[in-house]
Amino acid sequence: MVKTTISLIKADIGSSPGHVTVYEPLMVRAEEMMEKAKDENLIFDFVVFNAGDDTELLLTHDKGVDSEEIHKLAWDTFMILGKEAREIGLYGAGQDLLKDTFSGNIKGMGPGCAELEIEERPAEPLLFFAMDKTEPGAFNYPIFQMFANPFNTAGLIIDSKLHAGFKFSVMDVYEAKFVDLVCPEEMYDLLALIGAPGKYVTKYVDSKNPDLGRAAAISTDKLALIAGKYVGKDDPVAIVRSQSGFPAVGEIVEAFTLGHLVSGWMRGSHRGPLMPVSLDYSQCVRFDGPPRVVGLGFQLKNGQLIGGVDLFDDPSFDATRDKCNEIAEYIRRHGPFEPSRLPLSEMEYTTLPAVLQKLEDRFRE
Ligand code: 13P
Ligand code: 13P
Ligand code: MG
Ligand code: MG
């Protein structure tokens, strides 16, 4: 059986104005470079898109996950784009490119990466999600909804192929350790961890049916932990398989209808509602946000991405967007006060500690 690998790799290589959105001519440049890689048979197919100020490379190939060739292609592309961004004078040029030389794997170098290797089913619906102005743990809530909450995913109850539930692999991003928990059996343990999305991040979801294999992969790369300081937010990505043993497309996108609160937004230091938007609105404006998610859907066939759909380009998400605007309006009124601003524990990796340090000597007994 032929296996196909899907790699979704992203980086903020510079943007305009400020951290709002990717500069269109550089997306065209990225497309040209991917077209060349396709001509050279390095990749089967590709899509270049943006989530706010992050450039997203969606690649299909047969090189497996963690392929040095594919990671190098993405890294070299981002490095060229970063250089051009610097010449053009874009903001934060090369922001997520934290290392000088490629070391065999893009992980730990700044860009975010989610990958799946699958045996294509006769019909393979695949969904992709990319967020801006937030952290990888922002996927914890919707991924849980899709794969574990029967109030979101009807198939968990009424479809015998989903009824057994799914296995979650959760990463402690500070310790770089993993724990596997199965649902529904260990649901409360799972929630005890992933309810703290700053530390525990869902990395993979697997079907309990070994024939189906991996269901979802999420990037867990944390910029501040690599750089040791605040340089920007992680802005994660996820790949989710759908239908015939996995949640239906409609069950997957349903998971984004709360406008759930996530960490990030202005200067990576605030809480805000995650707004699902179409690619046309994939730009972060108000208070550099609110944090956003875009979604793309395809049928995968022999490595080709067929029939792309901009999933949130639909009036059925207007109510969620209205609610997000209302929540954004309310929470903004708190200004610098918690819980609008993140708690001190999460502010450790922002620009606040430098300010607090100046006051240290002025505290009296
Ligand atoms: P169709 O009958 O339109 O194929 O839909 C089936 C389904 O399960 C939708 O969730
Ligand atoms: P990005 O992480 O999207 O670059 O945003 C950084 C920021 O500080 C926004 O206010
Ligand atoms: Mg940026
Ligand atoms: Mg960004």
Side-chain angles (χ1 to χ4, degrees):
M1 194 72 173
V2 192
K3 287 194 168 182
T4 306
T5 314
I6 306 105
S7 302
L8 181 51
I9 309 180
K10 53 88 25 184
D12 181 339
I13 53 90
S15 46
S16 170
H19 294 283
V20 172
T21 192
V22 171
Y23 182 58
E24 183 73 30
L26 285 192
M27 291 239 289
V28 175
R29 285 284 290 129
E31 274 168 1
E32 287 164 6
M33 288 185 262
M34 295 307 103
E35 200 64 64
K36 184 162 168 280
K38 194 175 168 179
D39 289 345
E40 289 166 357
N41 294 318
L42 183 54
I43 54 175
F44 292 146
D45 204 359
F46 70 89
V47 176
V48 177
F49 64 103
N50 80 300
D53 65 353
D54 290 83
T55 301
E56 317 279 336
L57 306 178
L58 166 53
L59 312 172
T60 61
H61 53 93
D62 60 357
K63 311 274 186 273
V65 301
D66 289 326
S67 155
E68 180 162 350
E69 274 178 284
I70 297 297
H71 284 213
K72 189 170 183 335
L73 170 69
W75 177 258
D76 289 347
T77 303
F78 290 143
M79 286 299 270
I80 292 168
L81 295 175
K83 185 170 169 283
E84 293 185 10
R86 214 164 282 125
E87 286 161 11
I88 297 164
L90 297 182
Y91 193 74
Q95 178 184 287
D96 289 5
L97 310 172
L98 301 177
K99 303 280 154 94
D100 296 324
T101 43
F102 183 69
S103 60
N105 192 303
I106 206 159
K107 282 183 201 143
M109 302 190 72
C113 175
E115 295 187 300
L116 272 184
E117 187 179 37
I118 61 171
E119 272 177 26
E120 284 184 20
R121 296 167 292 167
E124 184 67 59
L126 264 186
L127 307 190
F128 301 90
F129 298 96
M131 297 179 180
D132 190 31
K133 305 296 180 269
T134 189
E135 60 180 12
F139 272 112
N140 283 3
Y141 173 87
I143 292 286
F144 175 84
Q145 292 289 96
M146 292 168 206
F147 290 100
N149 186 356
F151 283 75
N152 181 90
T153 297
L156 292 168
I157 305 292
I158 65 175
D159 182 346
S160 61
K161 295 199 286 295
L162 275 78
H163 200 76
F166 290 87
K167 182 181 86 182
F168 286 67
S169 297
V170 176
M171 182 180 183
D172 176 335
V173 288
Y174 287 93
E175 303 289 330
K177 284 182 179 167
F178 289 86
V179 58
D180 292 341
L181 294 162
V182 290
C183 275
E185 298 89 328
E186 299 178 294
M187 181 186 290
Y188 299 161
D189 294 318
L190 174 68
L191 286 169
L193 297 179
I194 64 170
K199 181 169 168 67
Y200 298 105
V201 181
T202 305
K203 176 75 192 163
Y204 299 115
V205 180
D206 291 282
S207 171
K208 285 180 182 166
N209 177 350
D211 292 340
L212 285 172
R214 186 136 287 172
I218 302 99
S219 67
T220 46
D221 313 271
K222 294 268 270 187
L223 271 182
L225 297 185
I226 300 167
K229 60 172 190 214
Y230 179 73
V231 288
K233 217 50 198 164
D234 323 306
D235 303 337
V237 293
I239 307 173
V240 183
R241 293 172 78 193
S242 179
Q243 307 287 158
S244 314
F246 299 116
V249 170
E251 291 167 337
I252 292 168
V253 295
E254 183 69 15
F256 293 94
T257 52
L258 175 62
H260 67 291
L261 290 170
V262 299
S263 296
W265 207 352
M266 174 57 70
R267 299 170 187 274
S269 306
H270 295 82
R271 286 204 175 90
L274 186 80
M275 185 187 272
V277 293
S278 67
L279 288 175
D280 278 346
Y281 288 103
S282 187
Q283 52 178 32
C284 287
V285 189
R286 183 178 181 186
F287 202 54
D288 284 2
R292 281 162 210 230
V293 57
V294 293
L296 293 181
F298 301 87
Q299 289 294 135
L300 180 74
K301 190 69 178 176
N302 299 326
Q304 301 300 309
L305 296 158
I306 315 285
V309 168
D310 182 353
L311 294 167
F312 297 128
D313 183 14
D314 191 277
S316 61
F317 293 97
D318 284 350
T320 304
R321 291 187 275 261
D322 288 346
K323 187 161 46 145
C324 287
N325 277 327
E326 203 178 309
I327 296 165
E329 180 61 29
Y330 170 75
I331 205 160
R332 275 304 308 127
R333 300 277 76 82
H334 292 74
F337 288 83
E338 296 178 9
S340 168
R341 196 177 77 185
L342 296 182
L344 281 180
S345 56
E346 286 187 53
M347 293 296 287
E348 201 180 317
Y349 284 99
T350 67
T351 45
L352 181 70
V355 174
L356 296 183
Q357 207 180 354
K358 281 195 297 188
L359 298 175
E360 250 169 35
D361 299 343
R362 295 177 54 184
F363 275 92
R364 290 185 302 274
E365 286 302 328

